[in-house]
Amino acid sequence: ELEEEDRPPVELRQRKKPKSSENKESAKEEKISDIPIPERAPKHVLFQRFAKIFIGCLAAVTSGMMYALYLSAYHERKFWFSNRQELEREITFQGDSAIYYSYYKDMLKAPSFERGVYELTHNNKTVSLKTINAVQQMSLYPELIASILYQATGSNEIIEPVYFYIGIVFGLQGIYVTALFVTSWLMSGTWLAGMLTVAWFIINRVDTTRIEYSIPLRENWALPYFACQIAALTGYLKSNLNTYGERFCYLLMSASTYTFMMMWEYSHYLLFLQAISLFLLDIFSVEQSDKVYEVYKIYIFSLFLGYLLQFENPALLVSPLLSLVAALMLAKCLQLNVKKGSFVAKIIKVINFYLVCTLTITLNIIMKMFVPHKENGHMLKFLEVKFGLNMTKNFTMNWLLCQESLQAPSQDFFLRLTQSSLLPFYILVLIICFLSMLQVIFRRINGKSLKETVTLEDGLIGERPEIIYHVIHTILLGSLAMVIEGLKYIWIPYVCMLAAFGVCSPELWMTLFKWLRLRTVHPILLALILSMAVPTIIGLSLWKEFFPRLMTELMELQEFYDPDTVELMTWIKRQAPVAAVFAGSPQLMGVIKLCTGWMVTSLPLYNDDDLLKRNENIYQIYSKRSAEDIYKILTSYKANYLIVEDAICNEVGPMRGCRVKDLLDIANGHMVCEEGDKLTYSKYGRFCHEVKINYSPYVNYFTRVYWNRSYFVYKINTVISFQS
């Protein structure tokens, strides 16, 4: 009533103003009058909204908790973890995972947190003849955080260290799933999309996560924060977000971006792809330009703060992310204020795109010239060989190419995604969103004005900035995953999210019906029905087919049985001197470091050129080299014991040419790699075979001190006695 009383004097004042203001005011009044005023039941509407948000949040949190509990139960059934001794539990950590967990143990054994950090940053007890900053080189911030939490919370009196460690990782996976749930919910407007996202994620977990095989991997610590960052970014890019929502999303995005960068050494490459997506969004959607540049500021802040706290890590200064963001900032400073939609503005957009690309490359070259850094030469060589730009006989390069995670996806991968109905719906959603995005872009190019607020009737899902961003981002990630299968663990979770959002979004179905010019049934009604019916049908079919399988997995009691490795570790702890240095395959060296604490000659890490060279040299024990050559290699690293693995020496392998001994023969010229190559016949037999026979000259250099079915341990003689 008060509002109605106040209206007449306002109208009288407006009459004295010019016509333009009169028209604007009348337009505003018309808009206000169009909006339905909740006079009848405002409390009912508020309660309905609150109930929707409350149920959605409850479903998101419950989904995350249930997934974390599922992982814990599955891990227990798979390894029979609670019924095993500490040594047997530690053996379940294989390869680089063993190294990460070993440093967590070292931190707990340290007399103080400061002393533990110092010993890790000046570590000379892991690799012989090498002092490393393990925190910087291996991104051990998760282990530092886990150790300080374990001691600060008094958990040492309640729970064993290993359970606390894996509990944190499983908890982060729960946050990961919750973040995907929220992202899909924000995009579709219904928490039903979040439920479908979680269902697809769990059913396709062979392709969405490596948590089952290797718990301490850096990606398992980092990707949950990346998922939180993307959820915050999705909310931040929405057009109808209020000020408080914007601030919350901005703060969450800042915190998660920085944390993600600290947890994983390769995080800035993923953020580089995200920055490219935002750059293209800025070109196609002028309304979000200011928000996009605020995200760029977060990148710069995170990079420089990460640089300082990661012991002045030069990799962050020479990263393509910093070069791109700096180029974008410079290009913005050079932009002219030109009328939007004009021909000159379109030309400037093209020039701006070219300028950014040129500046990015130039700045990156300049940074690499002036910033001292260790060039990841092996990564560049790997990419050259991967894409057929170069050929090599190098053992390390060929060994990396033979790794399953670095090869192109197999047919089984696409078959699994199709069986769970994920791939067909993802392709459908992506095509509709992509074509709608192109439709909107062409309208902008032709100078057609678009509505300030897009309604369901308009059928323009490609107009929403968060949709444009996700379409570009998923295409970039998918393109890389088609080349390197290991990247599927980053791409497939967002495939689940995008597919679930699409089938649950009335806007997507309405966009499709607009193109089909549907007349028989009211398109809005049909879109609303399908957005509920399709996900319900998918959910019921997934429940019927896959839920019994998940329950069967939890009911089956599996057993991780590796008595030979247990016996080997027990012998080392009882018989080997404390100062002994062991040589063998990098994967086994990681387990030895974790289970015994003894020093080793190499580690299963592939981001350091020196360690890669060490790995190649130690692997020569499986080549056709002389006893003297192997002896010189091992003594150059001060090794006291050599461990020969029967599984590598007698490896059969599904792919000939990818076995370790084949790769060594190719590198040493003992096997023809291509036509025209010269074949050099070695007068020596394969060392790992010959050393077992115990004849001269092998017994002069090596004395067998322990063996079982899988491992042969030889003491490297310090005084060589030649026998006749």
Side-chain angles (χ1 to χ4, degrees), residues 60-61 63-72 163-179 211 215 220-221 223-225 228:
V61 174
S63 298
M65 291 176 63
M66 292 298 291
Y67 179 61
L69 291 172
Y70 168 79
L71 286 176
S72 180
Y163 281 109
F164 185 82
Y165 184 87
I166 63 176
I168 292 177
V169 183
F170 290 156
L172 284 173
Q173 298 308 301
I175 293 172
Y176 192 2
V177 164
T178 302
I211 189 73
I215 293 172
N220 293 334
W221 287 89
L223 290 179
Y225 295 103
C228 291

Side-chain angles (χ1 to χ4, degrees), residues 178-280:
T178 302
L180 292 172
F181 184 111
V182 171
T183 307
S184 189
W185 181 15
L186 285 170
M187 292 172 68
S188 64
T190 171
W191 51 264
L192 191 63
M195 297 293 287
L196 187 56
T197 301
V198 174
W200 265 328
F201 182 92
I202 296 173
I203 288 166
N204 295 282
R205 70 186 187 284
V206 175
D207 301 305
T208 56
T209 178
R210 287 196 286 183
I211 189 73
E212 293 179 17
Y213 313 107
S214 194
I215 293 172
L217 284 180
R218 301 301 83 181
E219 65 193 59
N220 293 334
W221 287 89
L223 290 179
Y225 295 103
F226 188 51
C228 291
Q229 192 254 18
I230 287 182
L233 179 60
T234 303
Y236 186 68
L237 291 175
K238 287 175 75 71
S239 303
N240 57 349
L241 195 66
N242 59 41
T243 307
Y244 295 107
E246 263 188 32
R247 287 177 183 173
F248 174 76
C249 288
Y250 186 82
L251 290 173
L252 178 59
M253 190 166 40
S254 302
S256 53
T257 301
Y258 172 69
T259 310
F260 174 58
M261 195 171 289
M262 294 294 288
M263 291 290 171
W264 197 18
E265 60 182 316
Y266 299 117
S267 57
H268 56 92
Y269 293 112
L270 269 183
L271 293 174
F272 172 65
L273 290 179
Q274 190 182 72
I276 293 174
S277 305
L278 290 170
F279 169 51
L280 295 175

Side-chain angles (χ1 to χ4, degrees), residues 258-497:
Y258 172 69
T259 310
F260 174 58
M261 195 171 289
M262 294 294 288
M263 291 290 171
W264 197 18
E265 60 182 316
Y266 299 117
S267 57
H268 56 92
Y269 293 112
L270 269 183
L271 293 174
F272 172 65
L273 290 179
Q274 190 182 72
I276 293 174
S277 305
L278 290 170
F279 169 51
L280 295 175
L281 168 65
D282 184 30
I283 291 175
F284 301 143
S285 178
V286 289
E287 286 83 0
Q288 299 297 320
S289 183
D290 293 336
K291 285 187 177 182
V292 168
Y293 279 92
E294 288 299 318
V295 180
Y296 294 156
K297 291 176 185 177
I298 293 175
Y299 290 151
I300 292 178
F301 172 78
S302 300
L303 280 167
F304 281 106
L305 191 61
Y307 169 76
L308 295 174
L309 294 182
Q310 288 184 13
F311 306 92
E312 299 183 358
N313 185 5
L316 296 180
L317 293 183
V318 299
S319 71
L321 174 63
L322 181 60
S323 301
L324 175 62
V325 174
L328 287 164
M329 291 295 191
L330 287 172
K332 186 183 181 183
C333 295
L334 298 173
Q335 278 183 357
L336 300 172
N337 292 323
V338 183
K339 187 179 178 181
K340 294 175 183 178
S342 64
F343 177 75
V344 178
K346 295 170 187 175
I347 296 297
I348 286 177
K349 282 275 185 184
V350 176
I351 295 172
N352 183 55
F353 180 82
Y354 174 77
L355 181 65
V356 169
C357 295
T358 309
L359 274 174
T360 301
I361 297 169
T362 306
L363 288 172
N364 195 250
I365 293 170
I366 292 171
M367 291 297 285
K368 287 182 177 179
M369 287 173 61
F370 290 98
V371 176
H373 67 288
K374 290 182 180 179
E375 184 66 56
N376 290 328
H378 61 281
M379 287 183 64
L380 298 174
K381 289 176 185 175
F382 167 76
L383 293 174
E384 287 178 3
V385 177
K386 176 71 179 176
F387 294 110
L389 302 175
N390 198 358
M391 295 297 294
T392 182
K393 293 182 181 179
N394 181 268
F395 169 80
T396 302
M397 291 299 105
N398 288 326
W399 185 83
L400 289 172
L401 286 169
C402 284
Q403 299 305 300
E404 186 180 351
S405 61
L406 297 176
Q407 295 178 0
S410 61
Q411 290 183 353
D412 292 339
F413 165 69
F414 298 103
L415 185 62
R416 286 193 301 269
L417 296 184
T418 305
Q419 286 174 342
S420 65
S421 72
L422 175 60
L423 189 60
F425 282 107
Y426 168 72
I427 293 172
L428 173 67
V429 171
L430 183 63
I431 289 173
I432 294 173
C433 291
F434 182 71
L435 292 177
S436 179
M437 186 183 81
L438 291 180
Q439 182 184 10
V440 171
I441 291 168
F442 282 123
R443 284 189 178 187
R444 288 182 186 277
I445 292 172
N446 295 330
K448 291 183 180 178
S449 59
L450 296 170
K451 294 183 179 180
E452 291 181 7
T453 56
V454 180
T455 60
L456 180 60
E457 293 182 17
D458 297 325
L460 282 174
I461 197 168
E463 172 69 11
R464 291 166 55 186
E466 70 270 23
I467 303 299
I468 298 174
Y469 159 73
H470 278 288
V471 168
I472 298 170
H473 198 195
T474 191
I475 289 173
L476 289 175
L477 286 174
S479 302
L480 292 174
M482 292 302 101
V483 180
I484 300 174
E485 187 177 3
L487 294 174
K488 69 181 181 181
Y489 300 109
I490 301 169
W491 178 53
I492 297 299
Y494 299 102
V495 170
C496 299
M497 180 269 297

Side-chain angles (χ1 to χ4, degrees), residues 17-74:
K17 292 188 179 180
K19 279 187 177 182
S20 59
S21 62
E22 223 173 70
N23 294 336
K24 285 179 184 176
E25 192 65 31
S26 60
K28 284 180 183 177
E29 287 178 3
E30 284 175 9
K31 284 182 181 177
I32 292 167
S33 62
D34 290 340
I35 299 169
I37 302 170
E39 290 180 357
R40 293 182 182 177
K43 291 181 179 179
H44 172 70
V45 173
L46 288 173
F47 177 78
Q48 194 175 19
R49 289 178 183 174
F50 175 78
K52 182 182 176 183
I53 294 171
F54 176 77
I55 294 171
C57 291
L58 185 65
V61 174
T62 304
S63 298
M65 291 176 63
M66 292 298 291
Y67 179 61
L69 291 172
Y70 168 79
L71 286 176
S72 180
Y74 180 77

